Amino acid sequence: MSASYENLLYDLDAASGILTLTINRASKLNALNGATIDEIAAAMQHALDEPQVRGIIITGSGEKAFVAGADIAELAALTPAQAQRAAERGQEAFCRIEESTKPVIAAVNGFALGGGCELAMACHMRVASENARFGQPEVNLGLLPGYGGTQRLPQLIGKGKAIELLLTADQVKAEEALRLGLVNHVVPQAELLAFCQQLLGKILGKAPLAVAMVLECVNAHYAKKADGYEAEAKSFGRAFESDDFKEGTQAFVEKRAAVFTGK
């Protein structure tokens, strides 16, 4: 199954429930322009509304870049007011990824710079190919990250190192990104999508409602107006109402594999 977009490939494997979203502007190293940002937001909403989609992989077309940054020529023509709105629009799109109750993995297949690094960080997990590079080079242009980079990078790697990378615009190779905690795994590029599919498949074998509530509770820790501990306790109580909880505990007692229904 697929949906049609100008700058994205939307490929749903009905058997596994895994949707692969591919940023498809290889000639521009998959740079993010306004139209692509809007399509990412629309595709994510489509995925969240589509019951057959159970998990999502986001990647870039070609072998050079996941997303090499924003479309600088487009940005340069904006007024200050338009620039603020563009940042808000990008933040809204990436928050839709981060707040997804369906797990999202970034398959980073090359350069993830500027908006590309921000897109990867909005995903719940990141798997990098060995040739991947990460960075926020905006200060080289007299700018700063506008799609959440100043917020998510410190969350992932700590305040001090994040500030260093944001202010120096240094790029980080895949193995260094793994050491810093920016990515979860590094694999050969030829194995990248298969590894992500396997990881996502493992998660999709768990209770869907519990997976969704874990994501909600982790996000609550970072939300401005939420108490992560309160959210966790409430979700823990809600889990006890589910058929999945009854099935999971019964299967444990009976020493068999659980069959979850997401109810």
Side-chain angles (χ1 to χ4, degrees):
M1 296 181 63
S2 64
S4 180
Y5 297 94
E6 182 179 352
N7 298 316
L8 297 181
L9 301 179
Y10 185 106
D11 183 16
L12 172 60
D13 180 74
S16 66
I18 295 176
L19 168 66
T20 303
L21 285 180
T22 305
I23 314 300
N24 190 35
R25 301 184 76 216
S27 64
K28 302 290 186 180
L29 296 179
N30 303 320
L32 297 176
N33 58 5
T36 305
I37 292 287
D38 290 343
E39 288 190 356
I40 290 172
M44 278 302 304
Q45 192 59 54
H46 185 181
L48 293 172
D49 293 339
E50 174 53 65
Q52 285 189 286
V53 175
R54 301 177 60 214
I56 303 162
I57 296 171
I58 298 179
T59 192
S61 62
E63 298 184 351
K64 292 183 179 181
F66 172 71
V67 169
D71 190 318
I72 303 303
E74 182 180 81
L75 287 181
L78 300 180
T79 66
Q82 290 171 333
Q84 179 177 336
R85 179 57 194 139
E88 292 168 346
R89 184 170 59 184
Q91 290 175 3
E92 290 165 3
F94 290 3
C95 282
R96 194 165 295 180
I97 296 169
E98 183 175 57
E99 295 170 2
S100 167
T101 52
K102 300 177 182 183
V104 185
I105 297 177
V108 184
N109 55 309
F111 289 109
L113 304 176
C117 189
E118 291 172 297
L119 174 59
M121 291 192 294
C123 297
H124 300 134
M125 291 161 281
R126 286 148 295 284
V127 179
S129 61
E130 292 172 333
N131 67 318
R133 298 290 186 275
F134 298 83
Q136 300 287 169
E138 287 87 351
V139 292
N140 288 333
L141 302 173
L143 289 174
L144 67 155
Y147 301 156
T150 63
Q151 306 303 299
R152 293 191 179 98
L153 190 59
Q155 292 173 12
L156 289 168
I157 70 172
K159 180 179 177 181
K161 189 63 178 180
I163 288 176
E164 177 185 338
L165 294 180
L166 289 164
L167 296 185
T168 63
D170 286 347
Q171 292 185 22
V172 174
K173 295 181 180 180
E175 289 296 337
E176 177 68 2
L178 179 63
R179 187 186 70 79
L180 291 172
L182 183 54
V183 303
N184 298 69
H185 303 276
V186 176
V187 300
Q189 188 168 56
E191 301 172 15
L192 180 61
L193 282 180
F195 185 94
C196 291
Q197 291 162 355
Q198 182 181 28
L199 176 59
L200 198 49
K202 183 177 183 180
I203 295 167
L204 297 182
K206 312 306 178 186
L209 291 178
V211 168
M213 286 189 283
V214 166
L215 293 172
E216 288 175 339
C217 289
V218 171
N219 282 330
H221 173 73
Y222 299 101
K224 290 180 180 179
K225 298 180 180 179
D227 182 323
Y229 288 100
E230 179 182 358
E232 181 180 273
K234 288 182 177 179
S235 294
F236 192 73
R238 285 168 50 208
F240 274 68
E241 300 175 348
S242 70
D243 292 341
D244 281 350
F245 169 71
K246 297 179 179 66
E247 167 62 11
T249 51
Q250 189 66 31
F252 178 83
V253 171
E254 296 175 358
K255 298 182 179 180
R256 61 174 174 80
V259 180
F260 296 117
T261 61
K263 298 180 181 179

